[in-house]
Amino acid sequence: MKKLIVALPLFLTVIFAYTQNLSFGVIGGIGHSWTSVDKITGTDTRLHANYSIGGRLVYSFESSWGVSGDVKFSSEGHTVGISNKTKTVSRANYIRIPIQAIYFFGEFGDRVRPKISLGPSFGILAGGKIKTYVDGDRIARLKTKNYLKTFDFGFTAAAGGNVRIAPSTWLNLDLSYYL
C-alpha cells in the first residue's frame, strides 16, 4: 500500500508532463427537475432547483475527439403541489459519474472551440429528505434512501464550447441534458 501511495503521484506527474491532451478542472452546474404526475388527481409539478459541483478530467486522443469523466455531488429531486395548501418537496443527493464521448469542432489551438458530447451517467444515492408541508407547516420528514433505489443510470447530452482566456487556460461552458 505504501508503494502505491508513493507511485501514484509520481505516475500522474509523468502522465501530466508528457500529455498535453489531458485537462482537468472544477465543474459546477445549476438546473431544475420535475416529475410527471396525473393531472386528474389535482397535483401539479413546480420548478425545483438543482445544483452540482465536482471535478472533470478530459482526454483528447485526437484533435477532434476526446472522452471526459466527471465525479460530482448532485442534489436533485422534485416539488409537487397537491393543492394550494399542500406540497411535497423531495431532495435526492447523488454522487454522479458521467462518462462522455466528445467531438470538438475547429482546430486544436483555436481561441473558441465548439463541442458536443454524449454518454452514460451513473449515480449512487448519498441521501436526502422528503418533506411534506400543509399550510406552510412541515408535517412529515422522511429519508429519501427509504423510497428510492440506491443506483441510478441515465444518459447525458451536452453542447458547448471551450474559450481560451490565457495560454493553456480555458473556460469551458456546456449546456447539458440528463435523462
Side-chain angles (χ1 to χ4, degrees), residues 18 37 39 52 87 90-91 100 105 108 111 128 130 139 145 163 171:
Y18 287 102
V37 295
K39 294 292 182 186
S52 63
K87 75 175 180 176
S90 173
R91 178 66 62 191
Q100 297 181 323
F105 297 93
F108 184 76
R111 188 175 176 330
I130 300 171
I139 63 165
K145 282 187 168 188
V163 179
L171 175 63

Side-chain angles (χ1 to χ4, degrees), residues 4 16-17 22 26-27 33 40 46 50-51 61 63 76 81 104 109 123 128 149 151 157 174 179:
L4 180 64
F16 285 117
L22 189 64
V26 176
I27 59 170
S33 64
I40 296 173
R46 300 177 185 170
N50 296 312
Y51 64 91
F61 49 85
S63 178
E76 305 166 12
F104 297 97
K149 294 180 181 179
F151 183 76
D174 292 335
L179 177 64

